[in-house]
Amino acid sequence: MSTTRTHTRARTALRRAATVTALAAAGLLGAAGIASAHVTVHPESYAKGATDGVLTFRVPNEEDSASTEKVQVFLPTDHPVLGVLVHPQDGWTPKVTTTKLKTPVKTDDGTITDAVSEITWTGGKIGAGQYEDFDVAFGQLPDNTNQLMFKTLQTYSDGKVARWIEAPAGGEEPENPAPVLKLTAASDENAAPTASKGDSDGASKTTAASSDSSDSTARGLGVAGLVVGVLGLAAAAFAILRGRSAR
């Protein structure tokens, strides 16, 4: 076999390897995109019984040929969120539904017998490749549960309804997960202390050290990638030379 044919086969093998690598990377990125396309609540956690906070429901549009035109968030009533207020959203009209509680909640301000059970936003539009944040303020979160699940329905302009209503099972995320807010134990130890000037300086040093550590890690990963690339090219060159020697 001629040297020209050997070079051609080697180049073909390298091109195939590069194609397989690119497709694998694209598959990983695609999977990550799909996994993050569901409705989520932010922040992911609050202290039990927290007061005067805000929950943000992030709604991404995962359809290429349709836009999101309606969002329905259902709030739990077995562990109700008290004092709910909806932030005005440009282009969207909210509708708040309240429900009589089976078990009234006693607070310092009196006994609460009704709570918000559903918030529906209509009139707006979330296009392909876009998302919308819907802010909801609360007066108080429950202190007798470890999490709150907010089942959500997302209606598209073509009539399709994405039902984000499934609860996590066995530690694995379901196909259509509902937004879940974790409630952590409230204690003085978990409370963030007010930083003095000295504490602030110490925090700055800690932040700088963390940043340096992150930079070192990034550089290490970059070097590792270069080494892998060089080894791959060396292996290809060796294969070519070996082919020449064999012939």
Side-chain angles (χ1 to χ4, degrees), residues 158-243:
D158 60 1
K160 177 182 176 180
V161 178
R163 302 171 61 85
W164 308 107
I165 60 174
E166 297 178 3
E172 296 184 359
E173 185 176 77
E175 183 177 356
N176 299 297
V180 173
L181 177 70
K182 297 179 181 179
L183 298 181
T184 60
S187 68
D188 294 336
E189 294 179 358
N190 293 332
T194 302
S196 63
K197 184 179 185 301
D199 293 338
S200 178
D201 292 341
S204 298
K205 292 178 181 178
T206 302
T207 302
S210 299
S211 178
D212 290 341
S213 176
S214 298
D215 291 341
S216 298
T217 302
R219 285 195 295 269
L221 291 174
V223 171
L226 289 175
V227 170
V228 172
V230 170
L231 290 176
L233 291 176
F238 176 76
I240 293 174
L241 292 175
R242 185 177 180 183

Side-chain angles (χ1 to χ4, degrees), residues 19-215:
T19 301
V20 171
T21 302
L23 290 174
L28 289 174
L29 291 175
I34 292 173
S36 62
H38 54 76
V39 178
T40 53
V41 61
H42 304 272
E44 296 180 351
S45 66
Y46 257 114
K48 292 181 178 180
T51 58
D52 301 327
V54 175
L55 298 175
T56 299
F57 295 93
R58 176 159 295 177
V59 183
N61 190 95
E62 60 176 5
E63 294 291 325
D64 295 330
S65 58
S67 58
T68 298
E69 295 186 338
K70 182 180 180 181
V71 177
Q72 297 167 267
V73 176
F74 297 88
L75 284 68
T77 55
D78 53 346
H79 300 289
V81 179
L82 306 180
V84 171
L85 296 173
V86 180
H87 187 275
Q89 195 82 5
D90 290 343
W92 295 88
T93 301
K95 178 184 177 182
V96 178
T97 302
T98 59
T99 298
K100 181 76 73 175
L101 298 176
K102 292 182 179 180
T103 304
V105 179
K106 295 182 178 180
T107 69
D108 295 338
D109 298 324
T111 301
I112 307 298
T113 59
D114 300 87
V116 174
S117 58
E118 179 185 347
I119 305 174
T120 301
W121 288 272
T122 56
K125 177 181 178 181
I126 308 174
Q130 300 177 345
Y131 73 90
E132 191 82 56
D133 282 346
F134 297 90
D135 293 336
V136 176
F138 63 82
Q140 183 175 340
L141 295 177
D143 59 4
N144 56 352
T145 184
N146 294 324
Q147 68 177 27
L148 296 175
M149 186 170 68
F150 301 93
K151 296 182 179 182
T152 303
L153 301 182
Q154 179 180 6
T155 303
Y156 288 92
S157 55
D158 60 1
K160 177 182 176 180
V161 178
R163 302 171 61 85
W164 308 107
I165 60 174
E166 297 178 3
E172 296 184 359
E173 185 176 77
E175 183 177 356
N176 299 297
V180 173
L181 177 70
K182 297 179 181 179
L183 298 181
T184 60
S187 68
D188 294 336
E189 294 179 358
N190 293 332
T194 302
S196 63
K197 184 179 185 301
D199 293 338
S200 178
D201 292 341
S204 298
K205 292 178 181 178
T206 302
T207 302
S210 299
S211 178
D212 290 341
S213 176
S214 298
D215 291 341

